[in-house]
Structure formats: C-alpha cells, structure tokens
Amino acid sequence: MRLTEQQIRSLYGQDVQDRSGAKIGSVGQVWADAAGEPTWVSVATGVMGHHESMAPLQSARMQQDKLSLPYDKATVRGAPSVETGTDEPLDAQQLTQLYAHYQLPPPSPPAPPRQQAAGYPRGPELTRSEERLLVGTESEPAGTARLRKHVVDEDVHTTVPVEHDEVRVEREPIAPGDRRARSEIGDEQQELRLRAEHPVVSKEQVPVERVRLTRDEVVEDQPVDERLRREQVEADVPQSARSRR
C-alpha cells in the first residue's frame, strides 16, 4: 500500500481492524524500508503490557479513516512485538520472524534490509487519566445473638371433680307377720364407713418446645456515593491551523 506523507502522518493513533471489521487496536508506530516506503506498523492492542504487535502494510488498505488488515485479530495479536514507543530499526531476525508469522515471501536478495521507524513526528501529546470507582464488600462483626433460658413463676387456676359420701336415713315399715324382722328390745349400733376425695397436687417436668437461632443471609442494594476525578484535555489551536477533515 503506497501512502502519501500526509496519510502516513494520519496513521498514528488510527483504529486498526481485522478482515471481518473487528477492531484490533490502534496504530502505535510506522516503520519504513531503506527507500522510505512504509512497510510495517505496530498495533497497540490494549492488552496489559508494554509491547505492541507488528503488522505488515503490504496488503493493508484505508477504510473510513481505519486501517484494515487482511488478517484475523488472533493472528495480529499473536505476531512478534516491539516495546511501546520504540524507534529502534527492525533487524534481520525480527524481519525473518515477521515474514514467517504472516507467511509472506521475504524480499528478493539481498537479505531483508534493516528497517527503521519512519521519522514522521507525531506532534505533542498528553495522556488523559481518570479515576475509576472500585466497589467491593468486606465482612465485619454486626453484633451477637444469644438464647437465654430462665425460670418464671406462673399462677395456675384449675378445677378438679372430687367425690364424697353423704348419708341419707331411710325408714321402711315392717309388715305384720314378717318373720325376717327381729323383735328384741335393747341397745344396738351399726356403722357405715364414709369416703371423701380431696385434690392432690404434684408436679412433673415435660419438654414442650424447641427454640433455636438460625441465620439467613439477606442481599440488599446499598447506595454508594463517591466523588471521582478525571482530566479533561482542551486544545488551543489557532483557527487558521485547524484541520478541516
């Protein structure tokens, strides 16, 4: 892909997408060959670290201000990498690894020349930072629940049926000529034992109820209010120098 100097300058920071249109990362640096033609770019993929994957410009094309590569995302992210921000030229070993990774035919002899970062200035830049809120939870004591048992006195009123004997005197006339009746006169005594019930109270201990403590974990949303700081970058560019793109 032949690019003008202005297009090469505009590559820095542009989004890089794979052949399906998925974003891979952004352009970090551009390398040119001995003739000054741009041939390789480094792609900042956003993966944690200080290295950027290398990708060839041989079959790349610009689409809507995005650099489109004819490879999938995994191939680019797995390519040999360079340190972020480096301007060291690519040596023969690096080029050999890159041509092998992308299955590209190496340039015709002589051996691949050392390629160096294109010396196109990026211009001044600032890094904008902001605070992100990290919210988690931690466990802390919230009190102690106890079960205690103590004895209280309770007055109980109830009734119970009781029996007792009562004596009733019955008189029965004897008919004349009743030979079963005795006719002797004299003192005599007969007894009748009487019976009476009275309440008897005793006590027994019986289990009546099990009481236990159980713990349920309840999840509820608790609002968190915090103030975060973030930076804003403002560009003070003269009207005549502003880009019209």
Side-chain angles (χ1 to χ4, degrees):
M1 179 180 68
R2 298 186 63 85
L3 298 173
T4 65
E5 180 177 337
Q6 182 178 0
Q7 288 176 320
I8 296 173
R9 292 176 184 272
S10 67
L11 280 178
Y12 292 102
Q14 291 288 358
D15 287 345
V16 180
Q17 61 186 17
D18 67 4
R19 61 190 177 192
S20 68
K23 182 179 177 181
I24 304 174
S26 58
V27 175
Q29 181 63 282
V30 181
W31 275 260
D33 58 15
E37 291 294 331
T39 52
W40 297 92
V41 294
S42 63
V43 182
T45 61
V47 179
M48 296 297 292
H50 301 286
H51 289 78
E52 298 174 354
S53 301
M54 297 294 294
L57 288 173
Q58 180 175 332
S59 301
R61 64 184 186 277
M62 294 295 297
Q63 288 185 333
Q64 299 179 349
D65 294 333
K66 294 182 177 62
L67 182 65
S68 179
L69 300 176
Y71 305 99
D72 57 41
K73 182 185 297 186
T75 298
V76 177
R77 290 192 171 186
S81 60
V82 295
E83 291 187 4
T84 301
T86 183
D87 57 0
E88 292 294 325
L90 302 177
D91 57 30
Q93 182 180 0
Q94 288 175 302
L95 290 174
T96 300
Q97 293 174 347
L98 288 171
Y99 284 120
H101 178 79
Y102 286 103
Q103 299 181 356
L104 296 174
S108 300
R114 289 166 55 89
Q115 303 200 7
Q116 58 184 6
Y120 300 106
R122 300 192 189 190
E125 64 180 30
L126 293 175
T127 300
R128 187 180 71 85
S129 303
E130 65 182 22
E131 294 179 334
R132 297 292 174 87
L133 187 62
L134 304 177
V135 179
T137 62
E138 65 178 9
S139 180
E140 62 180 11
T144 302
R146 297 182 178 87
L147 280 179
R148 292 191 182 92
K149 183 175 72 172
H150 57 275
V151 179
V152 297
D153 293 332
E154 180 181 3
D155 294 330
V156 177
H157 176 74
T158 186
T159 59
V160 58
V162 294
E163 295 181 355
H164 67 277
D165 293 338
E166 291 184 352
V167 176
R168 184 174 69 253
V169 178
E170 295 181 353
R171 299 178 183 273
E172 178 184 358
I174 298 176
D178 188 347
R179 297 183 180 274
R180 293 175 301 173
R182 297 173 58 185
S183 59
E184 293 87 355
I185 296 176
D187 295 335
E188 187 178 355
Q189 178 176 308
Q190 296 286 339
E191 292 182 353
L192 176 62
R193 291 188 176 275
L194 302 178
R195 184 181 61 86
E197 294 179 339
H198 66 274
V200 176
V201 177
S202 63
K203 298 179 183 179
E204 64 175 347
Q205 296 183 1
V206 294
V208 295
E209 185 181 26
R210 288 188 177 92
V211 182
R212 66 174 60 90
L213 291 177
T214 59
R215 183 176 64 180
D216 296 327
E217 291 186 354
V218 180
V219 178
E220 60 181 6
D221 293 331
Q222 183 170 345
V224 176
D225 297 318
E226 187 59 55
R227 182 178 295 273
L228 300 180
R229 299 181 303 164
R230 62 185 178 91
E231 298 173 336
Q232 293 183 341
V233 177
E234 298 179 354
D236 187 5
V237 180
Q239 182 67 33
S240 59
R242 292 184 181 178
S243 174
R244 292 176 173 79
R245 290 190 306 155

Short mmCIF file of all heavy atoms in Angstrom, two decimals, residues 184-243:
data_model
loop_
_atom_site.label_atom_id
_atom_site.label_comp_id
_atom_site.label_asym_id
_atom_site.label_seq_id
_atom_site.Cartn_x
_atom_site.Cartn_y
_atom_site.Cartn_z
N GLU A 184 -86.42 -58.22 119.36
CA GLU A 184 -85.84 -57.97 120.66
C GLU A 184 -85.66 -56.48 120.86
O GLU A 184 -85.35 -55.75 119.94
CB GLU A 184 -84.48 -58.68 120.80
CG GLU A 184 -84.59 -60.19 120.82
CD GLU A 184 -84.56 -60.75 119.41
OE1 GLU A 184 -84.55 -59.94 118.43
OE2 GLU A 184 -84.55 -61.99 119.25
N ILE A 185 -85.80 -56.11 122.14
CA ILE A 185 -85.61 -54.71 122.51
C ILE A 185 -84.30 -54.60 123.23
O ILE A 185 -84.03 -55.33 124.19
CB ILE A 185 -86.77 -54.21 123.36
CG1 ILE A 185 -88.08 -54.24 122.57
CG2 ILE A 185 -86.48 -52.78 123.87
CD1 ILE A 185 -89.30 -53.84 123.37
N GLY A 186 -83.48 -53.67 122.85
CA GLY A 186 -82.18 -53.45 123.51
C GLY A 186 -81.34 -52.47 122.71
O GLY A 186 -81.68 -52.08 121.59
N ASP A 187 -80.19 -52.09 123.31
CA ASP A 187 -79.29 -51.16 122.61
C ASP A 187 -78.50 -51.91 121.52
O ASP A 187 -78.06 -53.04 121.70
CB ASP A 187 -78.32 -50.54 123.61
CG ASP A 187 -79.03 -49.65 124.65
OD1 ASP A 187 -80.14 -49.17 124.30
OD2 ASP A 187 -78.47 -49.45 125.72
N GLU A 188 -78.30 -51.18 120.39
CA GLU A 188 -77.53 -51.77 119.27
C GLU A 188 -76.93 -50.64 118.42
O GLU A 188 -77.48 -49.55 118.34
CB GLU A 188 -78.44 -52.67 118.42
CG GLU A 188 -77.70 -53.45 117.36
CD GLU A 188 -78.64 -54.37 116.56
OE1 GLU A 188 -79.82 -54.47 116.90
OE2 GLU A 188 -78.14 -54.97 115.56
N GLN A 189 -75.81 -50.93 117.80
CA GLN A 189 -75.14 -49.91 116.97
C GLN A 189 -74.65 -50.54 115.67
O GLN A 189 -74.10 -51.63 115.66
CB GLN A 189 -73.95 -49.32 117.77
CG GLN A 189 -73.17 -48.31 116.98
CD GLN A 189 -72.05 -47.68 117.81
OE1 GLN A 189 -72.31 -47.20 118.92
NE2 GLN A 189 -70.84 -47.74 117.27
N GLN A 190 -74.82 -49.83 114.58
CA GLN A 190 -74.34 -50.23 113.25
C GLN A 190 -73.52 -49.06 112.66
O GLN A 190 -73.83 -47.90 112.89
CB GLN A 190 -75.49 -50.57 112.30
CG GLN A 190 -76.31 -51.78 112.73
CD GLN A 190 -75.55 -53.08 112.48
OE1 GLN A 190 -74.61 -53.13 111.67
NE2 GLN A 190 -75.92 -54.12 113.24
N GLU A 191 -72.46 -49.40 111.93
CA GLU A 191 -71.60 -48.37 111.35
C GLU A 191 -71.60 -48.45 109.82
O GLU A 191 -71.71 -49.54 109.24
CB GLU A 191 -70.16 -48.54 111.85
CG GLU A 191 -69.99 -48.24 113.33
CD GLU A 191 -68.54 -48.37 113.76
OE1 GLU A 191 -67.71 -48.84 112.89
OE2 GLU A 191 -68.22 -48.00 114.89
N LEU A 192 -71.47 -47.32 109.19
CA LEU A 192 -71.32 -47.21 107.72
C LEU A 192 -70.12 -46.32 107.43
O LEU A 192 -70.10 -45.15 107.81
CB LEU A 192 -72.58 -46.61 107.11
CG LEU A 192 -72.52 -46.35 105.59
CD1 LEU A 192 -72.33 -47.67 104.83
CD2 LEU A 192 -73.79 -45.63 105.12
N ARG A 193 -69.07 -46.91 106.86
CA ARG A 193 -67.87 -46.13 106.56
C ARG A 193 -68.14 -45.18 105.39
O ARG A 193 -68.68 -45.58 104.36
CB ARG A 193 -66.70 -47.05 106.22
CG ARG A 193 -66.20 -47.83 107.44
CD ARG A 193 -64.92 -48.56 107.08
NE ARG A 193 -64.39 -49.23 108.24
CZ ARG A 193 -63.60 -48.65 109.16
NH1 ARG A 193 -63.28 -47.38 109.03
NH2 ARG A 193 -63.16 -49.36 110.19
N LEU A 194 -67.77 -43.96 105.58
CA LEU A 194 -67.96 -42.93 104.56
C LEU A 194 -66.64 -42.64 103.86
O LEU A 194 -65.55 -42.74 104.45
CB LEU A 194 -68.52 -41.67 105.21
CG LEU A 194 -69.85 -41.83 105.98
CD1 LEU A 194 -70.25 -40.50 106.60
CD2 LEU A 194 -70.94 -42.34 105.06
N ARG A 195 -66.67 -42.22 102.57
CA ARG A 195 -65.49 -41.92 101.76
C ARG A 195 -65.60 -40.52 101.17
O ARG A 195 -66.68 -40.10 100.75
CB ARG A 195 -65.34 -42.95 100.64
CG ARG A 195 -64.10 -42.83 99.80
CD ARG A 195 -64.13 -43.90 98.71
NE ARG A 195 -65.30 -43.72 97.84
CZ ARG A 195 -65.32 -42.91 96.79
NH1 ARG A 195 -64.25 -42.19 96.46
NH2 ARG A 195 -66.42 -42.81 96.07
N ALA A 196 -64.47 -39.82 101.16
CA ALA A 196 -64.44 -38.46 100.57
C ALA A 196 -63.10 -38.26 99.86
O ALA A 196 -62.05 -38.70 100.34
CB ALA A 196 -64.65 -37.40 101.63
N GLU A 197 -63.11 -37.68 98.66
CA GLU A 197 -61.89 -37.37 97.89
C GLU A 197 -61.47 -35.92 98.13
O GLU A 197 -62.32 -35.05 98.40
CB GLU A 197 -62.12 -37.59 96.39
CG GLU A 197 -62.37 -39.03 96.01
CD GLU A 197 -62.60 -39.18 94.52
OE1 GLU A 197 -62.95 -38.17 93.85
OE2 GLU A 197 -62.44 -40.31 94.01
N HIS A 198 -60.19 -35.67 98.01
CA HIS A 198 -59.68 -34.30 98.08
C HIS A 198 -58.59 -34.14 97.01
O HIS A 198 -57.94 -35.12 96.60
CB HIS A 198 -59.12 -33.98 99.48
CG HIS A 198 -57.90 -34.78 99.81
ND1 HIS A 198 -57.98 -36.06 100.37
CD2 HIS A 198 -56.58 -34.51 99.67
CE1 HIS A 198 -56.78 -36.52 100.55
NE2 HIS A 198 -55.90 -35.60 100.13
N PRO A 199 -58.39 -32.93 96.51
CA PRO A 199 -57.39 -32.71 95.45
C PRO A 199 -55.98 -33.03 95.95
O PRO A 199 -55.62 -32.71 97.08
CB PRO A 199 -57.52 -31.22 95.13
CG PRO A 199 -58.89 -30.85 95.59
CD PRO A 199 -59.14 -31.69 96.80
N VAL A 200 -55.23 -33.69 95.10
CA VAL A 200 -53.82 -33.98 95.37
C VAL A 200 -53.00 -33.34 94.24
O VAL A 200 -53.25 -33.59 93.07
CB VAL A 200 -53.57 -35.49 95.44
CG1 VAL A 200 -52.08 -35.77 95.62
CG2 VAL A 200 -54.38 -36.12 96.57
N VAL A 201 -52.03 -32.53 94.58
CA VAL A 201 -51.23 -31.79 93.59
C VAL A 201 -49.81 -32.34 93.57
O VAL A 201 -49.18 -32.50 94.63
CB VAL A 201 -51.20 -30.28 93.90
CG1 VAL A 201 -50.31 -29.55 92.91
CG2 VAL A 201 -52.62 -29.71 93.87
N SER A 202 -49.32 -32.64 92.38
CA SER A 202 -47.91 -32.98 92.17
C SER A 202 -47.43 -32.30 90.88
O SER A 202 -48.24 -31.78 90.11
CB SER A 202 -47.74 -34.50 92.06
OG SER A 202 -48.43 -35.01 90.93
N LYS A 203 -46.16 -32.29 90.68
CA LYS A 203 -45.60 -31.59 89.51
C LYS A 203 -44.70 -32.55 88.73
O LYS A 203 -44.04 -33.41 89.31
CB LYS A 203 -44.78 -30.37 89.94
CG LYS A 203 -45.58 -29.33 90.68
CD LYS A 203 -44.68 -28.16 91.10
CE LYS A 203 -45.45 -27.14 91.90
NZ LYS A 203 -44.59 -26.01 92.34
N GLU A 204 -44.67 -32.38 87.42
CA GLU A 204 -43.75 -33.12 86.57
C GLU A 204 -43.15 -32.16 85.55
O GLU A 204 -43.76 -31.16 85.17
CB GLU A 204 -44.46 -34.27 85.85
CG GLU A 204 -45.54 -33.83 84.87
CD GLU A 204 -46.12 -35.00 84.09
OE1 GLU A 204 -45.51 -36.07 84.13
OE2 GLU A 204 -47.16 -34.80 83.42
N GLN A 205 -41.95 -32.45 85.11
CA GLN A 205 -41.27 -31.63 84.11
C GLN A 205 -41.36 -32.33 82.76
O GLN A 205 -40.95 -33.49 82.62
CB GLN A 205 -39.80 -31.41 84.49
CG GLN A 205 -39.63 -30.62 85.78
CD GLN A 205 -38.17 -30.37 86.10
OE1 GLN A 205 -37.30 -30.76 85.35
NE2 GLN A 205 -37.93 -29.73 87.22
N VAL A 206 -41.89 -31.62 81.77
CA VAL A 206 -42.04 -32.19 80.43
C VAL A 206 -41.50 -31.19 79.41
O VAL A 206 -41.66 -29.98 79.56
CB VAL A 206 -43.52 -32.51 80.13
CG1 VAL A 206 -44.04 -33.61 81.03
CG2 VAL A 206 -44.39 -31.27 80.27
N PRO A 207 -40.81 -31.65 78.35
CA PRO A 207 -40.38 -30.74 77.28
C PRO A 207 -41.58 -30.33 76.43
O PRO A 207 -42.41 -31.16 76.07
CB PRO A 207 -39.38 -31.58 76.47
CG PRO A 207 -39.78 -32.99 76.71
CD PRO A 207 -40.35 -33.02 78.10
N VAL A 208 -41.67 -29.05 76.10
CA VAL A 208 -42.83 -28.56 75.34
C VAL A 208 -42.44 -27.83 74.06
O VAL A 208 -43.28 -27.65 73.17
CB VAL A 208 -43.68 -27.62 76.22
CG1 VAL A 208 -44.29 -28.40 77.39
CG2 VAL A 208 -42.87 -26.43 76.72
N GLU A 209 -41.18 -27.39 73.91
CA GLU A 209 -40.85 -26.58 72.73
C GLU A 209 -39.34 -26.55 72.53
O GLU A 209 -38.57 -26.53 73.49
CB GLU A 209 -41.38 -25.14 72.90
CG GLU A 209 -41.20 -24.25 71.69
CD GLU A 209 -41.72 -22.84 71.94
OE1 GLU A 209 -41.74 -22.42 73.12
OE2 GLU A 209 -42.10 -22.18 70.97
N ARG A 210 -38.91 -26.57 71.26
CA ARG A 210 -37.50 -26.35 70.91
C ARG A 210 -37.35 -24.94 70.36
O ARG A 210 -38.08 -24.54 69.46
CB ARG A 210 -37.02 -27.37 69.88
CG ARG A 210 -36.84 -28.77 70.42
CD ARG A 210 -36.17 -29.67 69.37
NE ARG A 210 -35.94 -31.01 69.90
CZ ARG A 210 -36.79 -32.01 69.76
NH1 ARG A 210 -37.93 -31.83 69.12
NH2 ARG A 210 -36.50 -33.20 70.27
N VAL A 211 -36.41 -24.22 70.87
CA VAL A 211 -36.14 -22.86 70.42
C VAL A 211 -34.70 -22.81 69.93
O VAL A 211 -33.77 -23.19 70.65
CB VAL A 211 -36.35 -21.82 71.55
CG1 VAL A 211 -36.09 -20.42 71.03
CG2 VAL A 211 -37.76 -21.94 72.10
N ARG A 212 -34.49 -22.35 68.70
CA ARG A 212 -33.14 -22.28 68.15
C ARG A 212 -32.95 -20.96 67.40
O ARG A 212 -33.92 -20.29 67.03
CB ARG A 212 -32.89 -23.46 67.20
CG ARG A 212 -33.73 -23.44 65.95
CD ARG A 212 -33.32 -24.56 64.98
NE ARG A 212 -33.48 -25.88 65.58
CZ ARG A 212 -34.60 -26.60 65.50
NH1 ARG A 212 -35.65 -26.10 64.86
NH2 ARG A 212 -34.68 -27.77 66.06
N LEU A 213 -31.70 -20.61 67.20
CA LEU A 213 -31.35 -19.44 66.39
C LEU A 213 -30.88 -19.91 65.03
O LEU A 213 -30.05 -20.83 64.91
CB LEU A 213 -30.21 -18.64 67.06
CG LEU A 213 -30.54 -17.90 68.35
CD1 LEU A 213 -29.30 -17.22 68.89
CD2 LEU A 213 -31.63 -16.87 68.11
N THR A 214 -31.40 -19.33 63.97
CA THR A 214 -30.93 -19.60 62.62
C THR A 214 -30.52 -18.28 61.97
O THR A 214 -31.01 -17.21 62.34
CB THR A 214 -32.03 -20.26 61.77
OG1 THR A 214 -33.18 -19.40 61.72
CG2 THR A 214 -32.42 -21.61 62.35
N ARG A 215 -29.59 -18.38 61.03
CA ARG A 215 -29.07 -17.18 60.37
C ARG A 215 -29.37 -17.25 58.87
O ARG A 215 -29.05 -18.22 58.21
CB ARG A 215 -27.56 -17.08 60.58
CG ARG A 215 -26.93 -15.82 59.97
CD ARG A 215 -25.46 -15.73 60.29
NE ARG A 215 -24.73 -16.83 59.68
CZ ARG A 215 -23.42 -17.01 59.79
NH1 ARG A 215 -22.71 -16.17 60.53
NH2 ARG A 215 -22.82 -18.02 59.20
N ASP A 216 -30.01 -16.22 58.35
CA ASP A 216 -30.29 -16.10 56.93
C ASP A 216 -29.46 -14.95 56.37
O ASP A 216 -29.37 -13.87 56.97
CB ASP A 216 -31.78 -15.82 56.67
CG ASP A 216 -32.66 -16.98 57.12
OD1 ASP A 216 -32.19 -18.11 57.02
OD2 ASP A 216 -33.79 -16.73 57.56
N GLU A 217 -28.84 -15.18 55.21
CA GLU A 217 -28.09 -14.13 54.54
C GLU A 217 -29.02 -13.38 53.59
O GLU A 217 -29.60 -13.98 52.68
CB GLU A 217 -26.90 -14.71 53.76
CG GLU A 217 -25.81 -15.27 54.67
CD GLU A 217 -24.59 -15.71 53.89
OE1 GLU A 217 -24.65 -15.67 52.65
OE2 GLU A 217 -23.59 -16.09 54.52
N VAL A 218 -29.15 -12.11 53.81
CA VAL A 218 -30.05 -11.27 53.02
C VAL A 218 -29.20 -10.33 52.18
O VAL A 218 -28.31 -9.65 52.70
CB VAL A 218 -31.01 -10.48 53.92
CG1 VAL A 218 -31.93 -9.61 53.08
CG2 VAL A 218 -31.83 -11.44 54.77
N VAL A 219 -29.44 -10.30 50.87
CA VAL A 219 -28.72 -9.41 49.96
C VAL A 219 -29.60 -8.22 49.64
O VAL A 219 -30.76 -8.37 49.24
CB VAL A 219 -28.33 -10.15 48.66
CG1 VAL A 219 -27.62 -9.20 47.71
CG2 VAL A 219 -27.45 -11.34 48.98
N GLU A 220 -29.07 -7.05 49.84
CA GLU A 220 -29.80 -5.83 49.53
C GLU A 220 -28.86 -4.84 48.88
O GLU A 220 -27.65 -4.88 49.07
CB GLU A 220 -30.42 -5.23 50.79
CG GLU A 220 -29.40 -4.85 51.87
CD GLU A 220 -30.05 -4.29 53.11
OE1 GLU A 220 -31.30 -4.31 53.18
OE2 GLU A 220 -29.34 -3.83 54.00
N ASP A 221 -29.41 -3.98 48.07
CA ASP A 221 -28.62 -2.95 47.39
C ASP A 221 -28.44 -1.76 48.32
O ASP A 221 -29.41 -1.21 48.84
CB ASP A 221 -29.32 -2.49 46.10
CG ASP A 221 -29.35 -3.60 45.05
OD1 ASP A 221 -28.43 -4.43 45.08
OD2 ASP A 221 -30.27 -3.62 44.23
N GLN A 222 -27.19 -1.40 48.52
CA GLN A 222 -26.87 -0.25 49.36
C GLN A 222 -26.21 0.82 48.50
O GLN A 222 -25.24 0.54 47.81
CB GLN A 222 -25.93 -0.66 50.49
CG GLN A 222 -25.62 0.47 51.45
CD GLN A 222 -24.87 -0.02 52.69
OE1 GLN A 222 -24.84 -1.20 52.95
NE2 GLN A 222 -24.28 0.89 53.42
N PRO A 223 -26.74 2.02 48.49
CA PRO A 223 -26.18 3.06 47.62
C PRO A 223 -24.77 3.46 48.07
O PRO A 223 -24.46 3.48 49.27
CB PRO A 223 -27.17 4.22 47.78
CG PRO A 223 -27.83 3.99 49.12
CD PRO A 223 -27.89 2.50 49.28
N VAL A 224 -23.92 3.72 47.10
CA VAL A 224 -22.55 4.18 47.34
C VAL A 224 -22.37 5.49 46.57
O VAL A 224 -22.55 5.53 45.36
CB VAL A 224 -21.51 3.14 46.87
CG1 VAL A 224 -20.10 3.69 47.04
CG2 VAL A 224 -21.67 1.84 47.64
N ASP A 225 -22.03 6.52 47.28
CA ASP A 225 -21.79 7.83 46.67
C ASP A 225 -20.33 8.20 46.88
O ASP A 225 -19.82 8.17 48.01
CB ASP A 225 -22.69 8.91 47.30
CG ASP A 225 -24.18 8.61 47.05
OD1 ASP A 225 -24.50 8.21 45.92
OD2 ASP A 225 -24.98 8.79 47.97
N GLU A 226 -19.66 8.51 45.81
CA GLU A 226 -18.24 8.87 45.86
C GLU A 226 -17.96 9.89 44.77
O GLU A 226 -18.62 9.92 43.74
CB GLU A 226 -17.37 7.61 45.68
CG GLU A 226 -15.89 7.83 45.90
CD GLU A 226 -15.58 8.35 47.28
OE1 GLU A 226 -15.98 7.70 48.28
OE2 GLU A 226 -14.96 9.43 47.36
N ARG A 227 -16.98 10.71 45.00
CA ARG A 227 -16.58 11.71 44.01
C ARG A 227 -15.31 11.25 43.33
O ARG A 227 -14.33 10.92 43.99
CB ARG A 227 -16.37 13.07 44.69
CG ARG A 227 -16.00 14.20 43.71
CD ARG A 227 -15.84 15.51 44.46
NE ARG A 227 -17.11 15.93 45.03
CZ ARG A 227 -18.01 16.66 44.37
NH1 ARG A 227 -17.77 17.03 43.11
NH2 ARG A 227 -19.12 17.01 44.95
N LEU A 228 -15.33 11.19 42.02
CA LEU A 228 -14.19 10.76 41.22
C LEU A 228 -13.62 11.95 40.46
O LEU A 228 -14.35 12.86 40.05
CB LEU A 228 -14.59 9.66 40.23
CG LEU A 228 -15.17 8.37 40.82
CD1 LEU A 228 -15.52 7.40 39.71
CD2 LEU A 228 -14.16 7.74 41.76
N ARG A 229 -12.33 11.89 40.25
CA ARG A 229 -11.66 12.92 39.48
C ARG A 229 -11.30 12.39 38.09
O ARG A 229 -10.94 11.23 37.95
CB ARG A 229 -10.39 13.39 40.18
CG ARG A 229 -10.62 14.01 41.55
CD ARG A 229 -9.31 14.45 42.15
NE ARG A 229 -8.37 13.32 42.23
CZ ARG A 229 -7.07 13.46 42.41
NH1 ARG A 229 -6.53 14.66 42.49
NH2 ARG A 229 -6.29 12.40 42.50
N ARG A 230 -11.41 13.21 37.09
CA ARG A 230 -10.96 12.88 35.76
C ARG A 230 -10.41 14.13 35.09
O ARG A 230 -10.78 15.26 35.44
CB ARG A 230 -12.08 12.28 34.91
CG ARG A 230 -13.28 13.20 34.66
CD ARG A 230 -14.37 12.43 33.92
NE ARG A 230 -15.56 13.24 33.70
CZ ARG A 230 -15.75 13.98 32.61
NH1 ARG A 230 -14.82 13.99 31.65
NH2 ARG A 230 -16.84 14.69 32.46
N GLU A 231 -9.54 13.91 34.18
CA GLU A 231 -8.88 15.02 33.50
C GLU A 231 -9.59 15.31 32.18
O GLU A 231 -10.13 14.42 31.53
CB GLU A 231 -7.41 14.68 33.22
CG GLU A 231 -6.60 14.44 34.49
CD GLU A 231 -5.20 13.95 34.18
OE1 GLU A 231 -5.00 13.39 33.09
OE2 GLU A 231 -4.32 14.14 35.03
N GLN A 232 -9.58 16.56 31.82
CA GLN A 232 -10.09 17.00 30.53
C GLN A 232 -8.95 17.70 29.79
O GLN A 232 -8.17 18.44 30.37
CB GLN A 232 -11.27 17.96 30.68
CG GLN A 232 -12.53 17.30 31.26
CD GLN A 232 -13.69 18.27 31.33
OE1 GLN A 232 -13.49 19.49 31.28
NE2 GLN A 232 -14.89 17.74 31.43
N VAL A 233 -8.87 17.40 28.52
CA VAL A 233 -7.83 17.99 27.69
C VAL A 233 -8.47 18.94 26.70
O VAL A 233 -9.41 18.56 25.98
CB VAL A 233 -7.03 16.90 26.94
CG1 VAL A 233 -5.99 17.53 26.03
CG2 VAL A 233 -6.35 15.97 27.93
N GLU A 234 -8.01 20.17 26.68
CA GLU A 234 -8.51 21.16 25.75
C GLU A 234 -7.37 21.58 24.83
O GLU A 234 -6.23 21.78 25.26
CB GLU A 234 -9.06 22.38 26.49
CG GLU A 234 -10.25 22.05 27.40
CD GLU A 234 -10.76 23.27 28.14
OE1 GLU A 234 -10.10 24.34 28.02
OE2 GLU A 234 -11.78 23.15 28.83
N ALA A 235 -7.66 21.66 23.57
CA ALA A 235 -6.66 22.06 22.58
C ALA A 235 -6.88 23.51 22.17
O ALA A 235 -7.99 23.89 21.78
CB ALA A 235 -6.73 21.14 21.36
N ASP A 236 -5.85 24.30 22.32
CA ASP A 236 -5.91 25.70 21.91
C ASP A 236 -5.18 25.83 20.58
O ASP A 236 -3.95 25.96 20.52
CB ASP A 236 -5.26 26.57 22.99
CG ASP A 236 -5.45 28.06 22.71
OD1 ASP A 236 -6.15 28.39 21.74
OD2 ASP A 236 -4.87 28.88 23.45
N VAL A 237 -5.93 25.72 19.49
CA VAL A 237 -5.36 25.72 18.15
C VAL A 237 -5.87 26.95 17.41
O VAL A 237 -7.09 27.20 17.40
CB VAL A 237 -5.75 24.44 17.39
CG1 VAL A 237 -5.15 24.44 15.98
CG2 VAL A 237 -5.31 23.21 18.16
N PRO A 238 -4.98 27.70 16.80
CA PRO A 238 -5.46 28.85 16.01
C PRO A 238 -6.45 28.41 14.93
O PRO A 238 -6.34 27.31 14.36
CB PRO A 238 -4.17 29.41 15.41
CG PRO A 238 -3.09 28.91 16.29
CD PRO A 238 -3.53 27.59 16.80
N GLN A 239 -7.41 29.24 14.67
CA GLN A 239 -8.45 28.91 13.70
C GLN A 239 -7.86 28.57 12.33
O GLN A 239 -8.30 27.64 11.67
CB GLN A 239 -9.42 30.09 13.58
CG GLN A 239 -10.59 29.85 12.63
CD GLN A 239 -11.53 28.79 13.15
OE1 GLN A 239 -11.72 28.66 14.35
NE2 GLN A 239 -12.14 28.03 12.24
N SER A 240 -6.82 29.27 11.95
CA SER A 240 -6.24 29.05 10.62
C SER A 240 -5.51 27.72 10.52
O SER A 240 -5.28 27.22 9.41
CB SER A 240 -5.28 30.20 10.28
OG SER A 240 -4.24 30.27 11.25
N ALA A 241 -5.13 27.13 11.68
CA ALA A 241 -4.38 25.90 11.66
C ALA A 241 -5.23 24.68 11.96
O ALA A 241 -4.72 23.58 12.01
CB ALA A 241 -3.22 25.97 12.67
N ARG A 242 -6.53 24.86 12.14
CA ARG A 242 -7.38 23.74 12.48
C ARG A 242 -7.62 22.86 11.26
O ARG A 242 -7.79 23.35 10.15
CB ARG A 242 -8.73 24.25 13.04
CG ARG A 242 -8.59 24.92 14.39
CD ARG A 242 -9.94 25.31 14.95
NE ARG A 242 -9.80 25.98 16.24
CZ ARG A 242 -10.81 26.46 16.94
NH1 ARG A 242 -12.04 26.34 16.46
NH2 ARG A 242 -10.59 27.04 18.09
N SER A 243 -7.65 21.55 11.51
CA SER A 243 -7.87 20.61 10.42
C SER A 243 -9.31 20.69 9.96
O SER A 243 -10.24 20.83 10.76
CB SER A 243 -7.57 19.19 10.89
OG SER A 243 -7.91 18.25 9.90
#
